Amino acid sequence: MSRVYNFSAGPAVLPEEVLKEAAEEMLDYRGCGMSVMEMSHRSKMFSDILESAEADLRDLMGIPDNYKVLFLQGGGSLQFAMVPLNLMPHGAADYIVTGQWAKKAFKEAQKFGDVKAIASSEDKTFSYIPDCSDLPVRENADYVYICENNTIYGTKYKKLPNTKGKILVADQSSCFLSEPVDVEKYGMIWGGVQKNVGPAGLVVAIIREDLIPKEELPGVPTMLQYKTQADAGSLYNTPNCYGIYICGKVFQWLKKQGGLSAMKERNEKKAAVLYDYLDQSKLFKGTVVKEDRSLMNVPFVTGDKDLDAEFVKAAKEAGFENLKGHRTVGGMRASIYNAMPKEGIQALVEFMTDFEKKHL
Amino acid sequence: MSRVYNFSAGPAVLPEEVLKEAAEEMLDYRGCGMSVMEMSHRSKMFSDILESAEADLRDLMGIPDNYKVLFLQGGGSLQFAMVPLNLMPHGAADYIVTGQWAKKAFKEAQKFGDVKAIASSEDKTFSYIPDCSDLPVRENADYVYICENNTIYGTKYKKLPNTKGKILVADQSSCFLSEPVDVEKYGMIWGGVQKNVGPAGLVVAIIREDLIPKEELPGVPTMLQYKTQADAGSLYNTPNCYGIYICGKVFQWLKKQGGLSAMKERNEKKAAVLYDYLDQSKLFKGTVVKEDRSLMNVPFVTGDKDLDAEFVKAAKEAGFENLKGHRTVGGMRASIYNAMPKEGIQALVEFMTDFEKKHL
């Protein structure tokens, strides 16, 4: 068995240690004689898995008691509808559009109320985060929505927007658990786990309790109401049990790494290896303004499409997988999530250096 | 490692061979250097997994070309909303209520239109399937809805209802792939895979193409429109990739077993071992009328709650797991899905015979 360096934007690399444990436990989870996939979601064994996962996540992120943690299905695309359906009691919300996912969220929300884009960086292909210190947040807006790390474009909010007292809702999918977060600054944080935490098919939603509608929302599907899973501890129906189990293992792994402060430090060092190289390269260049660079997703180009394609092909042959940029953007992108070892990035930079020598 | 006999109603027992393969491939899927959990859902490798799974399912069930196969998230509970939102162009549908899941589907559908229960077996705790040869199907009904196998109560339609020309929609979750199905008799079949096929967090929907709305449905979340995933080959957003991978392996396993005709024969023989014992037992008795008995879920009681509890406890100690009846019903239930070996049922019957001797 030989593992490649996998720079996929998601689903993405997971800690090898977690995968090894999962493989070992596949037929017999801790002596219970069955796989986690085979367990009743209402069994004591699975309850323990679910409760430990939630407790470890609360511990890692410092989630206050007045926030609910929900494990949901349907991916981010379903959250794009659930957020406005649940958190817009006055029927209005303001969106900051910093990439394709923020835009999709914005468009979906427009189906359900008076939803406005109060800032956008689309004018420069989403290569920066707009100044959010004094935005025209509307008086009647129920929340301000951001996508905190933009996977496709490689930008990240280094400072949260001034929401002028309104609730902040953040899609943290691609920076989830990559650094400490002050949860109390948000009304809701959600993340699709398939980028930085676990297998696709699971969203973790962290919602301030008082924002969850107290009554059933008429005409809204039961499964699209946060109340449904909040009241049932994520067990209204059968959840993605195996996904929760793997995420729980990753939460444990993160604690062993020293928690989110240690991860931030490590992620900064890892990203610096690549950004420092890009900043001095004569062939490759990063596409994002320096102050808004993501620690998780690093897009870069040569400026020549054919050469980009040649690079991606050569890199793949050398064991660097999934470096092709998003189909809507082109170029290259290295996603360097928590589980990508520094050695992987160092090896990539060596490979890029060699490639540069040959092609300048 | 010692595996128990797992009679869980879902999530439930999976073929040991499938779990072994999954464990072996966990860190390195067929030499690609990564886990299936780590693969981009848009990679060639994952496309192959998805396409093979669909092709094998089409082959197993004989699904005609004019039916779409969709791999969806959200569980059956989300289908309870998606079915009426998508398949009710005239705003009316008729439901046959044969258990808790049919009832939940019926209640959810009532949110979205003129939905009527045209038959029910609730009068006798859902212990039978109503006569469906001449039901008052309404002229304006867009479809007739059934839950074909009732997991909690242990009943199964042995003959499909006379829908008087209306489209039939069936929740087959707990009998999915347990026997051959004439797909053309249905407008739509869907099944949560966590009972007979794979890990929780995935629904397979088989829908006649002409029933899928051609235009976007205004006001309906994008993710709740069948058109969204039908147009995108289940890849509108990141699906439950690992779930699809495991289901694909189970489809392969079913083909190796001889396909659905062979499974039916095997399932009939397996169920007969337990039903034959129940029919002559002086302690235990089945709770369902004989002609409507499910081959998948076998509920039974002693008639004494304390003795039921004692039996469940003793069985657990002897390695027979999850025999407790559903929390809403009580008693016992043995779920004997495709992956439950005949030996498991024979061993259970031996254990019940011993228990009976001691307690009569």
Side-chain angles (χ1 to χ4, degrees):
Chain A
M1 190 204 68
S2 110
R3 300 258 298 161
V4 294
Y5 288 123
N6 177 12
F7 294 93
S8 174
V13 58
L14 291 171
E16 201 169 306
E17 188 179 324
V18 163
L19 295 173
K20 275 183 185 156
E21 271 184 35
E24 280 160 20
E25 293 173 350
M26 182 62 86
L27 279 93
D28 182 9
Y29 176 74
R30 301 187 183 176
C32 79
M34 60 181 89
S35 175
V36 172
M37 287 189 209
E38 301 176 299
M39 279 178 196
S40 167
H41 57 300
R42 307 213 180 269
S43 65
K44 172 79 171 67
M45 285 170 296
F46 184 73
S47 294
D48 288 348
I49 290 171
L50 180 63
E51 282 165 23
S52 302
E54 180 175 335
D56 285 334
L57 182 66
R58 284 186 178 275
D59 195 19
L60 276 167
M61 293 183 71
I63 301 172
D65 288 345
N66 63 326
Y67 284 71
K68 288 275 187 187
V69 173
L70 308 182
F71 295 93
L72 305 172
Q73 293 188 53
S77 298
L78 194 58
Q79 291 312 304
F80 297 164
M82 287 178 73
V83 166
L85 283 169
N86 286 271
L87 304 185
M88 213 162 60
H90 305 98
D94 290 343
Y95 279 63
I96 303 177
V97 178
T98 53
Q100 186 175 298
W101 300 114
K103 198 171 168 180
K104 278 201 173 185
F106 166 60
K107 291 205 162 172
E108 185 76 6
Q110 284 183 304
K111 289 185 179 179
F112 309 110
D114 171 16
V115 170
K116 197 181 162 190
I118 53 169
S120 168
S121 53
E122 196 165 9
D123 58 339
K124 292 182 182 166
T125 328
F126 300 120
S127 59
Y128 69 102
I129 299 289
D131 177 359
C132 298
S133 57
D134 185 22
L135 294 173
V137 176
R138 293 177 299 169
E139 200 49 57
N140 65 334
D142 283 308
Y143 61 83
V144 173
Y145 182 100
I146 61 169
C147 178
E148 196 161 333
N149 186 86
N150 297 280
T151 324
I152 297 176
Y153 305 94
T155 60
K156 162 115 188 357
Y157 286 81
K158 297 297 160 80
K159 207 185 152 195
L160 293 178
N162 173 4
T163 62
K164 302 186 174 174
K166 302 297 179 189
I167 289 150
L168 181 64
V169 174
D171 166 5
Q172 284 194 347
S173 299
S174 52
C175 58
F176 198 54
L177 301 178
S178 65
E179 59 180 65
V181 170
D182 186 353
V183 176
E184 285 187 314
K185 289 190 175 156
Y186 302 79
M188 175 180 177
I189 294 169
W190 66 265
V193 305
Q194 76 277 10
K195 295 184 182 290
N196 215 2
V197 193
L202 190 64
V203 163
V204 177
I206 300 157
I207 318 178
R208 221 175 66 201
E209 256 180 45
D210 61 298
L211 301 176
I212 299 172
K214 270 143 211 73
E215 306 294 328
E216 261 202 55
L217 301 168
V220 176
T222 305
M223 285 291 288
L224 265 56
Q225 306 193 24
Y226 291 129
K227 178 178 167 40
T228 302
Q229 295 291 15
D231 288 352
S234 300
L235 290 173
Y236 173 76
N237 68 336
T238 322
N240 180 340
C241 299
Y242 200 74
I244 292 171
Y245 156 75
I246 297 290
C247 287
K249 283 192 184 300
V250 174
F251 299 158
Q252 284 271 328
W253 178 82
L254 287 168
K255 288 176 89 170
K256 267 189 258 166
Q257 305 299 307
L260 300 191
S261 297
M263 288 316 295
K264 184 184 186 189
E265 202 179 312
R266 206 177 127 181
N267 286 328
E268 282 171 342
K269 283 185 187 157
K270 278 162 52 183
V273 173
L274 186 48
Y275 283 125
D276 287 350
Y277 167 71
L278 288 172
D279 285 343
Q280 59 74 51
S281 171
K282 291 188 173 54
L283 182 66
F284 297 103
K285 64 166 196 225
T287 57
V288 167
V289 300
K290 279 192 187 181
E291 58 272 28
D292 298 329
R293 282 171 166 176
S294 165
L295 296 181
M296 297 286 105
N297 311 97
V298 184
F300 55 94
V301 293
T302 64
D304 172 339
K305 276 187 187 177
D306 293 336
L307 196 56
D308 286 352
E310 191 184 330
F311 173 77
V312 170
K313 189 166 174 275
K316 188 180 163 70
E317 280 161 12
F320 303 99
E321 288 279 352
N322 293 310
L323 281 167
K324 199 175 165 188
H326 189 268
R327 65 206 150 93
T328 60
V329 181
M332 280 76 70
R333 176 181 45 175
S335 293
I336 50 175
Y337 296 118
N338 283 338
M340 169 58 67
K342 195 176 176 187
E343 296 71 41
I345 301 166
Q346 285 165 334
L348 174 64
V349 166
E350 276 170 41
F351 180 79
M352 289 169 78
T353 308
D354 276 357
F355 188 90
E356 182 170 350
K357 273 183 203 152
K358 284 178 207 151
H359 292 83
L360 261 193
Chain B
M1 190 204 68
S2 109
R3 301 256 300 160
V4 294
Y5 287 123
N6 177 13
F7 294 93
S8 174
V13 60
L14 291 170
E16 202 169 305
E17 188 178 326
V18 164
L19 295 172
K20 276 185 183 154
E21 271 185 34
E24 280 160 20
E25 294 173 349
M26 182 63 86
L27 279 94
D28 181 10
Y29 176 74
R30 301 187 184 175
C32 79
M34 61 181 87
S35 175
V36 173
M37 288 188 207
E38 302 176 299
M39 279 179 196
S40 167
H41 57 300
R42 306 212 181 270
S43 65
K44 173 79 171 65
M45 284 169 299
F46 184 72
S47 293
D48 288 348
I49 290 172
L50 180 63
E51 282 165 23
S52 303
E54 180 174 336
D56 285 334
L57 182 66
R58 284 187 178 276
D59 194 20
L60 276 168
M61 292 181 73
I63 300 172
D65 288 345
N66 64 325
Y67 284 70
K68 288 275 188 187
V69 173
L70 307 181
F71 295 93
L72 305 172
Q73 293 189 52
S77 297
L78 194 58
Q79 291 312 304
F80 296 165
M82 287 177 74
V83 166
L85 283 169
N86 285 271
L87 304 184
M88 213 162 62
H90 305 98
D94 289 343
Y95 279 63
I96 303 177
V97 178
T98 52
Q100 186 176 300
W101 301 112
K103 197 172 169 181
K104 278 201 172 185
F106 166 60
K107 291 205 162 172
E108 186 76 5
Q110 283 183 305
K111 289 185 179 179
F112 309 109
D114 171 16
V115 170
K116 196 181 163 189
I118 54 168
S120 167
S121 53
E122 196 165 9
D123 59 337
K124 291 182 183 166
T125 329
F126 300 119
S127 58
Y128 68 103
I129 299 290
D131 176 359
C132 297
S133 57
D134 186 22
L135 294 173
V137 176
R138 292 177 300 169
E139 200 50 56
N140 65 335
D142 284 307
Y143 60 83
V144 173
Y145 182 100
I146 61 168
C147 178
E148 196 162 332
N149 186 85
N150 297 280
T151 325
I152 297 176
Y153 305 94
T155 59
K156 161 118 188 0
Y157 286 79
K158 297 298 161 79
K159 208 185 153 197
L160 293 177
N162 173 5
T163 62
K164 301 186 175 174
K166 302 299 178 188
I167 289 150
L168 180 64
V169 175
D171 166 6
Q172 284 194 349
S173 299
S174 51
C175 59
F176 198 54
L177 300 178
S178 66
E179 59 181 65
V181 169
D182 186 352
V183 175
E184 286 188 311
K185 290 190 174 158
Y186 302 79
M188 175 181 178
I189 293 169
W190 66 267
V193 305
Q194 76 276 11
K195 296 184 181 292
N196 215 3
V197 193
L202 190 64
V203 163
V204 177
I206 300 157
I207 317 178
R208 219 175 67 201
E209 259 180 42
D210 62 297
L211 301 176
I212 299 173
K214 268 141 213 75
E215 306 294 329
E216 262 203 53
L217 302 168
V220 176
T222 305
M223 285 291 287
L224 266 56
Q225 306 193 25
Y226 291 130
K227 177 178 168 41
T228 303
Q229 296 290 14
D231 287 352
S234 300
L235 290 173
Y236 172 77
N237 68 336
T238 324
N240 181 341
C241 299
Y242 200 75
I244 292 170
Y245 157 74
I246 297 289
C247 286
K249 284 193 183 299
V250 173
F251 300 158
Q252 284 270 328
W253 178 81
L254 286 168
K255 288 175 90 170
K256 267 188 258 166
Q257 306 301 307
L260 300 192
S261 296
M263 288 315 296
K264 184 184 185 186
E265 202 179 312
R266 205 176 127 181
N267 286 327
E268 282 172 342
K269 281 184 187 157
K270 277 162 53 182
V273 173
L274 186 47
Y275 284 125
D276 287 351
Y277 166 71
L278 287 172
D279 286 342
Q280 59 75 51
S281 170
K282 291 188 174 55
L283 182 64
F284 298 102
K285 64 167 193 222
T287 57
V288 167
V289 299
K290 281 191 185 181
E291 58 273 28
D292 298 328
R293 282 171 166 175
S294 165
L295 296 181
M296 296 286 106
N297 311 97
V298 184
F300 55 93
V301 294
T302 64
D304 172 338
K305 276 185 186 176
D306 294 336
L307 196 57
D308 286 351
E310 191 184 328
F311 173 77
V312 170
K313 188 165 174 277
K316 187 179 164 69
E317 281 160 12
F320 303 98
E321 288 279 351
N322 293 311
L323 281 167
K324 199 173 165 186
H326 188 269
R327 64 205 150 92
T328 59
V329 182
M332 279 77 70
R333 175 181 47 173
S335 293
I336 50 176
Y337 296 118
N338 282 338
M340 170 59 67
K342 194 175 176 187
E343 296 71 41
I345 301 165
Q346 284 165 334
L348 174 64
V349 165
E350 276 170 41
F351 179 80
M352 289 170 77
T353 308
D354 276 358
F355 188 90
E356 181 170 350
K357 273 182 202 152
K358 285 178 205 149
H359 292 84
L360 262 192

